[in-house]
Amino acid sequence: MNRDYQKIAEITLKSLSNTSWADISLDEIKKKSRVKSFKTLVKSKKDLLIKINNYFDHKLFLMSSKIEKSSDKDMIFEIIMMRFDILQQHRKGMVSIFKSFKKKPSQLFFLIPELLESIIMMIQYTNISTKGKIGQLKIKGVFLIYVSSFLIWLKDDSASLDKTMIALDNYLNQANKILKFVS
């Protein structure tokens, strides 16, 4: 990941610890980040959200080599929890973003393709096949599981993320049953 992108994402997330997404401005982030090419890298707040998602993807990539080979379910559980661990480091910023879009979630539709790409990458890190109709079903299923688990994560104020882990495990167990039925 480009160092400037990383710096922009980190400064934005840090700023969101004290400011709401609605109140944060591109000029403020530009000034704090001191990235000279800011205006060419970030043209809107949508771009900023995409950069933040890419930043999380990059951090997850760096951690992904730690995944131990085991069952598909255990590996996808581990990679999703790694992502939540990364999000946890920027919890205040992520909660701020979520609160800003809570009343108008349709404004986040532009981010769905980015999140799907993130999900595909996460699945690839686990070496789970995404070929054919079953593969496409897996991608969509993991996407739904991730989003559902994210909503639990937002309310999980424990340091160990117990509620998130339990919910994720339950969702994966249910998905495994459905996948076996469909197969």
Side-chain angles (χ1 to χ4, degrees), residues 62-68 78 82:
L62 297 175
M63 293 175 66
S64 67
S65 63
K66 298 176 185 174
I67 296 175
E68 293 182 26
E78 193 172 339
M82 281 181 181

Side-chain angles (χ1 to χ4, degrees), residues 7 16 62 107 113:
K7 191 173 186 180
L16 286 169
L62 297 175
Q107 291 181 345

